[in-house]
């Protein structure tokens, strides 16, 4: 017969194991901010390459804009060559035209998150990155992030945050480019200006999002829709190939820089 479970035992194990994780995550190779399509794709490839990777997501769920599909319809579109990423992680696709595929939103979220976690990435939900850690010099370098529980921020009470050191930080927060916006406001010597995205032009948006993915300033990278917000390029709507390819590209750049090898 199974013994009765003691409440104190439950509490003790949760706190002990969570604290162990946080101590281990106090310094990592890469911090990804935002568990949307570009963030999860980047996490998968970075962790797969052996880099210590953590994803901080302010909500209590992952997937970003994937879950909303197109106007809340539970489907979205992915084009070649991004479909190869979804095939690699076992996500089912339905071919509708040459080089064009439809995916189920829930399946895509689940497969991306599961693949990133299985590769070794840690995803922490309910945590907001509301500042960065930097070091001075002629050109300041971003060396980590400042984190706080989203619930604390929503409550509007003053609680000092904690810092997490990293060799690189990737802004995958989408349209709002939250990390880039903080850096733009708080470290003016970087001359970083967030112009915001343009109106919809799908083909151009998909191309430019991937092309412009990369390092913004020393230690800080942008992927996904944060790239469009930074470079004032168009939005694309519910087609997610560019998001996935952007996540993979930023991972490839960091793998080459931090490990000296290509994917």
């Amino acid at each position: 017969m199974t013994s009765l479970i003691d409440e104190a035992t439950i509490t003790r194990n949760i706190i002990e194991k969570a604290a162990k994780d946080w101590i281990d995550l106090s310094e990592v190779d890469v911090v990804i901010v935002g568990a949307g399509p570009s963030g999860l794709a980047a996490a998968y490839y970075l962790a797969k390459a052996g880099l210590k990777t953590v994803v901080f997501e302010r909500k209590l769920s992952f997937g970003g804009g994937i879950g909303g599909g197109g106007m809340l319809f539970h489907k979205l579109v992915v084009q070649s060559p991004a479909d190869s990423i979804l095939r690699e992680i076992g996500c089912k696709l339905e071919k509708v035209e040459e080089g064009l595929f439809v995916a189920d939103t829930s399946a895509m979220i689940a497969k991306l998150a599961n693949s990133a976690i299985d590769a070794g990435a840690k995803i922490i939900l309910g945590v907001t990155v509301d500042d960065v850690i930097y070091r001075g010099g002629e050109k300041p370098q971003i060396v980590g992030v400042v984190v706080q529980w989203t619930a604390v921020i929503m409550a509007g009470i003053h609680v000092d945050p904690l810092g997490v050191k990293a060799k690189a930080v990737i802004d995958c927060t989408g349209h709002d480019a939250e990390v880039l916006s903080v850096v733009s406001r708080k470290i003016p010597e970087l001359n970083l200006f967030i112009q915001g995205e343009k109106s919809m032009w799908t083909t151009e948006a998909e191309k430019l999002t991937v092309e412009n993915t990369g390092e913004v300033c020393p230690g800080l990278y942008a992927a996904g829709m944060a790239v469009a917000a930074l470079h004032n390029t168009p939005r694309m709507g519910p087609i997610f190939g560019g998001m996935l390819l952007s996540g993979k590209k930023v991972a490839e750049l960091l793998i080459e820089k931090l490990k000296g090898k290509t994917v």
Side-chain angles (χ1 to χ4, degrees), residues 125-137:
L125 304 175
V127 171
T128 294
V129 171
D130 69 351
D131 203 351
V132 297
I133 306 170
Y134 82 106
R135 296 292 181 261

Side-chain angles (χ1 to χ4, degrees), residues 67-70 72-76 103-106:
L72 292 182
F73 290 104
H74 64 287
K75 298 288 182 180
L76 52 77
D104 186 279
T105 55
S106 296

Side-chain angles (χ1 to χ4, degrees), residues 59-86:
K59 296 181 180 178
L60 294 178
S61 58
F62 33 62
I66 298 173
M71 221 174 81
L72 292 182
F73 290 104
H74 64 287
K75 298 288 182 180
L76 52 77
V77 174
V78 175
Q79 77 281 29
S80 293
D83 62 302
S84 63
I85 296 174
L86 294 181

Side-chain angles (χ1 to χ4, degrees), residues 157-217:
I157 57 177
H158 177 73
V159 177
D160 278 330
L162 291 173
V164 174
K165 295 287 293 297
K167 296 174 184 174
V169 175
I170 311 174
D171 188 338
C172 293
T173 61
H175 302 273
D176 295 329
E178 296 170 18
V179 181
L180 298 180
S181 296
V182 167
V183 172
S184 172
R185 186 174 72 253
K186 290 195 169 187
I187 314 177
E189 54 266 44
L190 283 171
N191 295 314
L192 186 62
F193 301 99
I194 312 303
Q195 305 175 72
E197 66 194 32
K198 288 184 176 178
S199 295
M200 189 181 290
W201 182 359
T202 300
T203 303
E204 194 74 354
E206 287 289 88
K207 179 185 71 158
L208 291 175
T209 296
V210 179
E211 285 182 3
N212 290 327
T213 293
E215 190 173 41
V216 178
C217 65

